Amino acid sequence: MTRKLPPAVETRATQDYDAVFNTDDSLPTRESIVAGAQEKDGLLVTVTDRIDADLIRALPDSIRIISTFSVGYDHIDIPAAKARGIAVTNTPDVLTDATAEIALLLMLGAARNATASIATLRSGNWRNWAPTGMLGTELTGKRLGILGLGRIGRATAQRARAFGMEIHYHNRSRLDAEREKGAIYHDDIAGLFSVSDILSIHCASTPETRGLINRDTIALLPEGAILINTARGDIVDDEALIEALASARLGAAGLDVFNNEPNLHPGYLNLSNAFLLPHLGSATLETRNAMGFRALDNLDAFFRGQTPRDLVEG
């Protein structure tokens, strides 16, 4: 187990496995992962572990499964694992609600000028209430564009409807009416972006979506639009977004994920219209426990000779 997991998860792991833990939660190196894998049957890794082709080739023959404590698995080279006959599993579904809640927090924080307001309060520079002071914009009545109306996108839309927002979305294919729940479908991103007062990113990181938010696509958004990202940092071109925020081409951004985490682009740190969180999407005790139990469920099924529920296809 490459990172320290919640106590209940580690307790269960000790009951069922001869498990080796990361007791101080230090970030493992490639060398430490390979060393720790010796004479082991499986690895339980996290999104911070880069399990690329070179590392997979270096793993001992004893490793038969990699169970990742995450929904995303772009940190694992799936074809390389398949070539070695190593199964890969993930933990979908269990972090849907927690991540959707963070998406709404980002929308509120970005729209209501939270970064500058909190800084003013904490610095002691708040002198008095003013009719035109620290003005933001309301979510009520705004058009919310959702890029990827999957589980988390739909949960975000459900919560946004409570704020009186009009939901628009783009997927590779249109959803049925039951899952759309009145959301307006756009068959390309240009159509979606053009009507998105707030654009919330919920698509996977793929070769097609990496760098999708760039100067050209930002130009499709309405003037002063707000960008929200709880998906993956590499979907956004940092330079383009920082430029758009600094020039007020975009009104604000709410970001929970970044390129090269935790070493985010320093240009974000001086922007009062950037509301930033340190990848808190699934950071509730309930969700992290559920993720750990799901990862162990997958290991249990595999070692019992069953097909794990969350087997990733190579």
Side-chain angles (χ1 to χ4, degrees):
M1 300 172 70
T2 59
R3 298 294 302 272
K4 186 172 180 60
L5 300 183
V9 177
E10 293 192 344
T11 296
R12 175 176 154 184
T14 61
Q15 294 169 351
D16 299 333
Y17 294 96
D18 178 15
V20 175
F21 300 101
N22 182 343
T23 56
D24 64 1
D25 203 29
S26 56
L27 285 172
T29 64
R30 298 165 63 87
E31 294 74 19
S32 68
I33 291 175
V34 172
Q38 301 303 314
E39 300 183 0
K40 300 298 183 294
D41 299 293
L43 294 174
L44 200 164
V45 306
T46 73
V47 70
T48 59
D49 304 315
R50 181 173 172 77
I51 314 298
D52 59 19
D54 288 341
L55 192 153
I56 288 172
R57 282 192 291 268
L59 292 175
D61 293 340
S62 61
I63 294 294
R64 298 158 54 201
I65 181 171
I66 299 171
S67 179
T68 183
F69 180 88
S70 62
V71 173
Y73 46 85
D74 48 293
H75 55 295
I76 302 173
D77 190 315
I78 302 300
K82 186 177 181 181
R84 282 282 312 269
I86 298 173
V88 178
T89 62
N90 66 335
T91 61
D93 303 325
V94 294
L95 50 69
T96 297
D97 290 332
T99 305
E101 289 176 3
I102 285 291
L104 266 294
L105 173 59
L106 291 171
M107 287 183 210
L108 288 165
R112 296 303 297 269
N113 200 22
T115 297
S117 300
I118 292 169
T120 298
L121 191 66
R122 290 186 175 278
S123 67
N125 291 324
W126 186 37
R127 296 291 177 255
N128 54 59
W129 178 90
T132 59
M134 296 182 280
L135 298 180
T137 186
E138 295 179 10
L139 299 186
T140 305
K142 296 299 188 296
R143 300 168 297 177
L144 173 63
I146 296 182
L147 185 60
L149 200 65
R151 296 181 187 92
I152 297 172
R154 293 196 299 273
T156 300
Q158 177 186 1
R159 288 156 174 77
R161 289 186 184 98
F163 285 87
M165 303 183 78
E166 181 180 277
I167 310 301
H168 296 251
Y169 78 100
H170 169 70
N171 272 354
R172 286 174 293 183
S173 58
R174 184 170 184 171
L175 300 180
D176 56 64
E178 182 179 353
R179 289 186 293 172
E180 273 190 343
K181 297 187 183 302
I184 300 166
Y185 175 68
H186 298 264
D187 59 9
D188 59 32
I189 63 168
L192 175 68
F193 284 27
S194 69
V195 299
S196 296
D197 300 313
I198 300 174
L199 178 66
S200 191
I201 302 171
H202 297 284
C203 59
S205 173
T206 67
E208 294 73 31
T209 62
R210 288 175 196 134
L212 180 63
I213 305 302
N214 53 49
R215 287 182 177 86
D216 291 337
T217 54
I218 288 172
L220 299 171
L221 292 165
E223 192 81 20
I226 295 172
L227 179 74
I228 305 299
N229 190 10
T230 56
R232 283 289 184 268
D234 62 7
I235 296 169
V236 173
D237 178 331
D238 288 331
E239 295 287 350
L241 179 54
I242 289 167
E243 177 183 291
L245 291 170
S247 68
R249 172 64 183 79
L250 292 183
L255 307 175
D256 188 45
V257 290
F258 305 90
N259 281 300
N260 303 313
E261 294 179 11
N263 302 309
L264 70 158
H265 193 301
Y268 288 119
L269 300 177
N270 296 320
L271 292 170
S272 63
N273 56 350
F275 183 65
L276 312 175
L277 297 175
H279 204 148
L280 297 182
S282 64
T284 68
L285 180 58
E286 298 91 338
T287 293
R288 294 285 170 83
N289 275 338
M291 291 170 68
F293 296 150
R294 189 72 166 262
L296 290 172
D297 287 345
N298 288 324
L299 290 170
D300 292 350
F302 180 84
F303 290 120
R304 289 175 182 145
Q306 302 165 354
T307 300
R309 174 180 176 180
D310 306 307
L311 184 67
V312 175
E313 298 296 334

